[in-house]
Coordinates of all heavy atoms in Angstrom, one line a residue:
M23 N 47.6 -15.2 -9.7 CA 47.5 -15.7 -8.3 C 46.3 -15.1 -7.5 O 45.9 -14.0 -7.8 CB 48.8 -15.3 -7.6 CG 50.0 -16.1 -8.2 SD 51.5 -16.0 -7.1 CE 52.2 -14.5 -7.8
D24 N 45.8 -15.9 -6.6 CA 44.6 -15.5 -6.0 C 44.7 -14.8 -4.6 O 43.7 -14.4 -4.0 CB 43.7 -16.7 -5.8 CG 44.3 -17.8 -5.0 OD1 45.3 -17.6 -4.4 OD2 43.6 -18.9 -5.0
G25 N 45.9 -14.7 -4.1 CA 46.1 -13.9 -2.8 C 45.7 -14.6 -1.6 O 45.5 -14.0 -0.5
K26 N 45.7 -15.9 -1.6 CA 45.3 -16.7 -0.4 C 46.6 -17.1 0.4 O 46.4 -17.5 1.6 CB 44.5 -17.9 -0.7 CG 43.1 -17.5 -1.3 CD 42.3 -18.7 -1.6 CE 40.9 -18.3 -2.2 NZ 40.1 -19.4 -2.5
N27 N 47.7 -17.1 -0.2 CA 49.0 -17.5 0.4 C 49.8 -16.2 0.8 O 50.1 -15.4 -0.1 CB 49.8 -18.4 -0.5 CG 49.2 -19.7 -0.6 OD1 48.8 -20.4 0.4 ND2 49.0 -20.1 -1.9
R28 N 50.1 -16.0 2.0 CA 50.8 -14.9 2.5 C 52.2 -14.7 1.8 O 52.6 -13.6 1.5 CB 51.0 -15.0 4.0 CG 51.5 -13.7 4.7 CD 51.6 -13.9 6.2 NE 51.6 -12.6 6.9 CZ 52.7 -11.9 7.1 NH1 53.8 -12.3 6.6 NH2 52.6 -10.7 7.7
S29 N 52.8 -15.8 1.5 CA 54.2 -15.8 0.8 C 54.1 -15.2 -0.6 O 55.1 -14.7 -1.1 CB 54.7 -17.2 0.8 OG 53.9 -18.1 0.0
D30 N 52.9 -15.1 -1.2 CA 52.8 -14.5 -2.5 C 52.7 -13.0 -2.5 O 52.8 -12.4 -3.6 CB 51.6 -15.1 -3.2 CG 51.7 -16.6 -3.5 OD1 52.8 -17.1 -3.5 OD2 50.6 -17.2 -3.7
I31 N 52.5 -12.4 -1.3 CA 52.2 -11.0 -1.2 C 53.3 -10.3 -0.5 O 53.7 -10.7 0.6 CB 50.8 -10.8 -0.5 CG1 49.7 -11.6 -1.3 CG2 50.5 -9.3 -0.4 CD1 48.4 -11.7 -0.5
T32 N 53.7 -9.2 -1.1 CA 54.7 -8.3 -0.4 C 54.3 -6.9 -0.6 O 53.6 -6.5 -1.5 CB 56.2 -8.5 -1.0 OG1 56.1 -8.3 -2.4 CG2 56.7 -9.9 -0.8
A33 N 54.9 -6.0 0.3 CA 54.6 -4.6 0.2 C 55.1 -4.1 -1.2 O 56.1 -4.5 -1.7 CB 55.4 -3.8 1.3
G34 N 54.3 -3.2 -1.8 CA 54.6 -2.7 -3.1 C 54.0 -3.4 -4.3 O 54.0 -2.9 -5.4
L35 N 53.3 -4.5 -4.0 CA 52.6 -5.2 -5.1 C 51.3 -4.5 -5.4 O 50.6 -4.0 -4.5 CB 52.3 -6.7 -4.7 CG 53.2 -7.8 -4.9 CD1 52.6 -9.1 -4.4 CD2 53.7 -7.9 -6.3
K36 N 50.9 -4.6 -6.7 CA 49.6 -4.1 -7.1 C 48.6 -5.2 -7.0 O 48.8 -6.3 -7.6 CB 49.7 -3.5 -8.6 CG 48.5 -2.8 -9.0 CD 48.7 -2.2 -10.4 CE 47.4 -1.4 -10.8 NZ 47.6 -0.8 -12.1
V37 N 47.5 -5.0 -6.3 CA 46.5 -6.0 -6.1 C 45.1 -5.5 -6.2 O 44.9 -4.3 -6.2 CB 46.7 -6.6 -4.7 CG1 48.0 -7.3 -4.5 CG2 46.5 -5.6 -3.6
N38 N 44.2 -6.4 -6.4 CA 42.7 -6.1 -6.3 C 42.3 -6.7 -4.9 O 42.5 -7.9 -4.6 CB 41.9 -6.8 -7.4 CG 41.9 -6.0 -8.7 OD1 42.1 -4.8 -8.6 ND2 41.7 -6.6 -9.8
I39 N 41.6 -5.9 -4.1 CA 41.1 -6.3 -2.9 C 39.6 -6.1 -2.8 O 39.0 -5.3 -3.6 CB 41.7 -5.6 -1.7 CG1 41.4 -4.1 -1.7 CG2 43.2 -5.8 -1.6 CD1 41.7 -3.4 -0.4
V40 N 38.9 -6.9 -1.9 CA 37.5 -6.6 -1.7 C 37.4 -6.0 -0.3 O 38.0 -6.5 0.7 CB 36.7 -7.9 -1.8 CG1 37.0 -8.9 -0.8 CG2 35.2 -7.5 -1.7
L41 N 36.8 -4.8 -0.2 CA 36.7 -4.1 1.1 C 35.5 -4.8 1.9 O 34.6 -5.4 1.3 CB 36.3 -2.7 0.9 CG 37.4 -1.9 0.1 CD1 36.8 -0.5 -0.3 CD2 38.7 -1.8 0.8
K42 N 35.5 -4.6 3.2 CA 34.5 -5.2 4.1 C 33.1 -4.8 3.6 O 32.2 -5.6 3.5 CB 34.7 -4.8 5.5 CG 33.8 -5.3 6.5 CD 34.2 -6.8 6.9 CE 33.3 -7.3 8.0 NZ 33.5 -8.7 8.2
K43 N 32.9 -3.5 3.3 CA 31.6 -3.0 2.8 C 31.2 -3.6 1.5 O 30.0 -3.5 1.1 CB 31.6 -1.5 2.8 CG 32.5 -0.9 1.8 CD 32.5 0.6 1.8 CE 33.4 1.2 0.8 NZ 32.9 2.0 -0.3
D44 N 32.2 -4.1 0.7 CA 31.9 -4.6 -0.7 C 31.8 -6.1 -0.7 O 31.7 -6.7 -1.8 CB 32.9 -4.1 -1.7 CG 32.9 -2.6 -1.8 OD1 31.8 -2.0 -1.7 OD2 33.9 -2.0 -2.1
Q45 N 31.9 -6.8 0.4 CA 31.9 -8.3 0.4 C 30.7 -8.9 -0.2 O 30.7 -9.9 -0.9 CB 32.2 -8.8 1.8 CG 33.6 -8.7 2.2 CD 33.9 -9.2 3.6 OE1 33.0 -9.4 4.4 NE2 35.2 -9.4 3.9
K46 N 29.5 -8.2 0.0 CA 28.2 -8.8 -0.5 C 28.2 -8.7 -2.0 O 27.8 -9.6 -2.7 CB 27.1 -8.0 0.1 CG 26.8 -8.4 1.5 CD 25.4 -7.8 2.0 CE 25.1 -8.3 3.4 NZ 25.8 -7.5 4.4
T47 N 28.7 -7.6 -2.6 CA 28.7 -7.3 -4.0 C 29.9 -7.9 -4.7 O 29.8 -8.2 -5.9 CB 28.6 -5.8 -4.3 OG1 29.8 -5.2 -3.9 CG2 27.4 -5.2 -3.7
G48 N 31.0 -8.0 -4.0 CA 32.2 -8.5 -4.6 C 33.0 -7.5 -5.4 O 33.9 -7.8 -6.2
K49 N 32.6 -6.2 -5.2 CA 33.3 -5.1 -5.9 C 34.7 -5.0 -5.5 O 35.1 -5.1 -4.4 CB 32.6 -3.8 -5.6 CG 33.2 -2.5 -6.2 CD 32.4 -1.3 -5.9 CE 33.1 0.0 -6.3 NZ 34.1 0.4 -5.4
L50 N 35.6 -4.9 -6.5 CA 37.1 -4.9 -6.3 C 37.6 -3.5 -6.3 O 37.2 -2.7 -7.0 CB 37.8 -5.8 -7.3 CG 37.4 -7.3 -7.3 CD1 38.2 -8.0 -8.4 CD2 37.7 -7.9 -6.0
T51 N 38.7 -3.3 -5.5 CA 39.4 -2.1 -5.4 C 40.8 -2.4 -5.7 O 41.4 -3.3 -5.1 CB 39.2 -1.5 -3.9 OG1 37.9 -1.3 -3.6 CG2 39.9 -0.1 -3.8
T52 N 41.4 -1.6 -6.6 CA 42.8 -1.8 -6.9 C 43.7 -0.8 -6.2 O 43.4 0.3 -5.9 CB 43.0 -1.5 -8.5 OG1 42.1 -2.4 -9.2 CG2 44.4 -1.8 -8.9
G53 N 44.9 -1.3 -5.7 CA 45.8 -0.5 -5.0 C 47.2 -1.2 -4.8 O 47.4 -2.3 -5.2
I54 N 48.1 -0.5 -4.1 CA 49.4 -1.0 -3.8 C 49.5 -1.4 -2.4 O 49.1 -0.6 -1.5 CB 50.5 0.1 -4.1 CG1 50.3 0.7 -5.6 CG2 51.9 -0.4 -3.9 CD1 50.6 -0.3 -6.7
V55 N 50.0 -2.6 -2.1 CA 50.1 -3.1 -0.7 C 51.1 -2.3 0.1 O 52.2 -2.1 -0.3 CB 50.5 -4.6 -0.7 CG1 50.7 -5.1 0.7 CG2 49.5 -5.4 -1.4
K56 N 50.6 -1.8 1.3 CA 51.5 -1.1 2.2 C 51.9 -2.1 3.4 O 53.0 -2.2 3.7 CB 50.8 0.1 2.8 CG 51.7 0.9 3.8 CD 51.0 2.1 4.3 CE 51.8 2.9 5.3 NZ 51.1 4.0 5.8
D57 N 50.9 -2.7 4.0 CA 51.1 -3.6 5.1 C 50.3 -4.9 4.9 O 49.2 -4.9 4.4 CB 50.6 -3.0 6.4 CG 51.3 -1.7 6.7 OD1 52.5 -1.7 6.7 OD2 50.6 -0.7 7.0
L58 N 50.8 -6.0 5.4 CA 50.1 -7.3 5.5 C 49.5 -7.4 6.9 O 50.3 -7.2 7.9 CB 51.0 -8.5 5.2 CG 51.3 -8.8 3.8 CD1 52.3 -7.8 3.2 CD2 51.8 -10.2 3.6
L59 N 48.2 -7.6 7.0 CA 47.6 -7.7 8.3 C 47.3 -9.1 8.8 O 47.0 -9.3 10.0 CB 46.3 -6.8 8.3 CG 46.5 -5.4 7.8 CD1 45.2 -4.6 7.8 CD2 47.4 -4.6 8.8
T60 N 47.2 -10.0 7.9 CA 47.0 -11.4 8.3 C 48.3 -12.1 8.7 O 49.3 -12.0 7.9 CB 46.3 -12.2 7.1 OG1 45.1 -11.6 6.8 CG2 46.1 -13.7 7.5
N61 N 48.4 -12.7 9.8 CA 49.6 -13.3 10.3 C 49.8 -14.8 9.8 O 50.9 -15.2 9.7 CB 49.7 -13.3 11.8 CG 50.0 -11.9 12.3 OD1 50.7 -11.1 11.7 ND2 49.4 -11.5 13.4
S62 N 48.7 -15.5 9.6 CA 48.8 -16.9 9.2 C 49.3 -17.0 7.7 O 49.2 -16.0 6.9 CB 47.4 -17.6 9.3 OG 46.5 -17.0 8.5
S63 N 49.9 -18.1 7.4 CA 50.5 -18.3 6.0 C 49.4 -18.5 4.9 O 49.7 -18.3 3.8 CB 51.4 -19.4 6.0 OG 50.7 -20.6 6.3
Y64 N 48.2 -18.8 5.3 CA 47.1 -19.1 4.4 C 45.8 -18.6 5.0 O 45.5 -18.7 6.2 CB 47.0 -20.6 4.1 CG 45.8 -20.9 3.2 CD1 46.0 -20.8 1.8 CD2 44.6 -21.4 3.7 CE1 44.9 -21.1 0.9 CE2 43.6 -21.7 2.9 CZ 43.7 -21.6 1.5 OH 42.6 -21.9 0.7
H65 N 44.9 -18.0 4.1 CA 43.6 -17.7 4.5 C 42.6 -18.0 3.4 O 42.9 -17.5 2.3 CB 43.5 -16.2 5.0 CG 42.2 -15.9 5.7 ND1 41.0 -15.8 5.0 CD2 41.9 -15.7 7.0 CE1 40.0 -15.6 5.9 NE2 40.6 -15.5 7.1
P66 N 41.5 -18.7 3.6 CA 40.7 -19.1 2.5 C 39.9 -18.0 1.8 O 39.6 -18.1 0.6 CB 39.6 -20.1 3.2 CG 39.7 -19.8 4.6 CD 41.1 -19.3 4.9
H67 N 39.8 -16.8 2.5 CA 39.1 -15.7 1.9 C 40.1 -14.6 1.3 O 39.6 -13.6 0.8 CB 38.1 -15.0 2.8 CG 37.0 -16.0 3.3 ND1 36.7 -16.2 4.6 CD2 36.2 -16.8 2.6 CE1 35.8 -17.1 4.7 NE2 35.5 -17.5 3.5
G68 N 41.3 -14.9 1.5 CA 42.4 -13.9 1.0 C 43.1 -13.3 2.2 O 42.5 -13.1 3.2
I69 N 44.3 -13.0 2.0 CA 45.2 -12.3 3.0 C 44.7 -10.9 3.1 O 44.5 -10.2 2.2 CB 46.7 -12.4 2.6 CG1 47.1 -13.8 2.4 CG2 47.5 -11.6 3.6 CD1 47.1 -14.7 3.7
K70 N 44.5 -10.4 4.4 CA 44.1 -9.1 4.6 C 45.3 -8.1 4.6 O 46.3 -8.4 5.2 CB 43.4 -8.9 6.0 CG 42.7 -7.6 6.2 CD 42.0 -7.5 7.6 CE 40.7 -8.2 7.5 NZ 39.9 -7.9 8.8
V71 N 45.1 -7.0 3.8 CA 46.2 -6.0 3.6 C 45.7 -4.6 3.8 O 44.5 -4.4 3.7 CB 46.9 -6.2 2.2 CG1 47.5 -7.5 2.0 CG2 45.9 -5.9 1.1
R72 N 46.6 -3.7 4.1 CA 46.3 -2.3 4.0 C 47.0 -1.7 2.8 O 48.2 -1.9 2.6 CB 46.8 -1.6 5.3 CG 46.6 -0.1 5.3 CD 47.1 0.6 6.5 NE 46.3 0.2 7.7 CZ 46.9 -0.5 8.7 NH1 48.2 -0.8 8.7 NH2 46.2 -0.9 9.8
L73 N 46.2 -1.0 2.0 CA 46.8 -0.3 0.8 C 47.5 1.0 1.2 O 47.3 1.5 2.3 CB 45.7 0.0 -0.2 CG 44.9 -1.3 -0.7 CD1 43.8 -0.8 -1.7 CD2 45.8 -2.3 -1.3
E74 N 48.3 1.5 0.3 CA 49.0 2.8 0.5 C 48.0 3.9 0.8 O 48.4 4.9 1.5 CB 49.9 3.1 -0.6 CG 51.1 2.2 -0.7 CD 52.1 2.6 -1.8 OE1 51.7 3.3 -2.7 OE2 53.2 2.1 -1.7
D75 N 46.8 3.9 0.3 CA 45.8 4.9 0.6 C 45.0 4.7 1.9 O 44.1 5.5 2.2 CB 44.9 5.1 -0.6 CG 44.0 3.9 -0.9 OD1 44.1 2.9 -0.1 OD2 43.3 3.9 -1.9
G76 N 45.4 3.6 2.6 CA 44.8 3.4 3.9 C 43.6 2.4 3.9 O 43.1 2.0 5.0
Q77 N 43.1 2.0 2.8 CA 42.0 1.1 2.7 C 42.4 -0.3 3.1 O 43.5 -0.7 2.8 CB 41.3 1.1 1.3 CG 40.7 2.4 0.9 CD 40.1 2.3 -0.4 OE1 38.9 2.1 -0.5 NE2 40.8 2.5 -1.5
V78 N 41.5 -1.0 3.8 CA 41.8 -2.4 4.2 C 40.9 -3.4 3.6 O 39.7 -3.2 3.6 CB 41.8 -2.5 5.8 CG1 41.9 -3.9 6.3 CG2 42.8 -1.5 6.4
G79 N 41.4 -4.5 3.1 CA 40.6 -5.5 2.6 C 41.4 -6.8 2.3 O 42.6 -6.9 2.6
R80 N 40.7 -7.8 1.8 CA 41.3 -9.1 1.5 C 41.7 -9.2 0.0 O 40.9 -8.9 -0.9 CB 40.3 -10.2 1.9 CG 40.1 -10.3 3.4 CD 39.5 -11.6 3.8 NE 39.3 -11.6 5.3 CZ 40.2 -11.9 6.2 NH1 41.4 -12.2 5.8 NH2 39.9 -11.8 7.4
V81 N 42.9 -9.7 -0.2 CA 43.4 -9.8 -1.6 C 42.6 -10.8 -2.4 O 42.5 -12.0 -1.9 CB 44.9 -10.1 -1.6 CG1 45.4 -10.3 -3.0 CG2 45.7 -9.1 -0.9
Q82 N 42.1 -10.4 -3.5 CA 41.4 -11.4 -4.4 C 42.2 -11.8 -5.6 O 42.1 -12.9 -6.1 CB 40.1 -10.7 -4.9 CG 39.1 -10.3 -3.8 CD 38.7 -11.5 -3.0 OE1 38.2 -12.5 -3.4 NE2 39.0 -11.5 -1.7
E83 N 43.1 -10.9 -6.1 CA 44.0 -11.2 -7.1 C 45.2 -10.3 -7.1 O 45.1 -9.2 -6.7 CB 43.3 -11.2 -8.5 CG 42.6 -10.0 -8.8 CD 41.7 -10.1 -10.1 OE1 42.0 -11.0 -10.9 OE2 40.9 -9.3 -10.3
I84 N 46.3 -10.9 -7.5 CA 47.6 -10.1 -7.6 C 47.8 -9.7 -9.1 O 47.7 -10.6 -10.0 CB 48.8 -11.0 -7.1 CG1 48.5 -11.4 -5.7 CG2 50.1 -10.3 -7.3 CD1 49.5 -12.5 -5.1
L85 N 48.0 -8.4 -9.3 CA 48.1 -7.9 -10.7 C 49.6 -7.8 -11.1 O 50.4 -7.7 -10.2 CB 47.4 -6.6 -10.8 CG 46.0 -6.5 -10.3 CD1 45.5 -5.1 -10.3 CD2 45.1 -7.4 -11.2
K86 N 49.8 -7.8 -12.3 CA 51.2 -7.7 -12.9 C 51.6 -6.2 -13.0 O 50.8 -5.4 -13.4 CB 51.3 -8.4 -14.2 CG 51.0 -9.9 -14.1 CD 52.3 -10.7 -14.2 CE 51.9 -12.1 -14.2 NZ 52.7 -13.0 -13.4

């Protein structure tokens, strides 16, 4: 799953996100979702989340 639908993402999921500073390079950061920051049900660039370590970025993929 690509992380563009809010309904696919819940706290505790392991995801790959792209941080604001890494958007040009597309470098991914792996972590566990703590909070969902996007209120809309869909976002074309990925739902914005806060990871448990405090980093904020948009979900690019949901990991198993």
Side-chain angles (χ1 to χ4, degrees):
M23 291 193 270
D24 60 8
K26 293 181 181 179
N27 292 307
R28 194 176 197 276
S29 60
D30 294 339
I31 302 167
T32 56
L35 272 183
K36 187 174 185 180
V37 296
N38 276 336
I39 65 167
V40 64
L41 302 172
K42 183 79 173 171
K43 67 180 177 117
D44 294 330
Q45 282 178 346
K46 287 188 177 82
T47 63
K49 178 178 173 274
L50 297 177
T51 303
T52 303
I54 307 295
V55 175
K56 180 179 180 185
D57 301 310
L58 280 76
L59 304 177
T60 299
N61 290 323
S62 61
S63 61
Y64 175 84
H65 193 285
H67 299 129
I69 299 297
K70 190 179 278 188
V71 297
R72 179 180 295 116
L73 300 181
E74 287 183 342
D75 63 6
Q77 297 184 94
V78 174
R80 295 198 180 274
V81 177
Q82 300 301 301
E83 51 189 342
I84 298 170
L85 306 173
K86 299 258 183 222

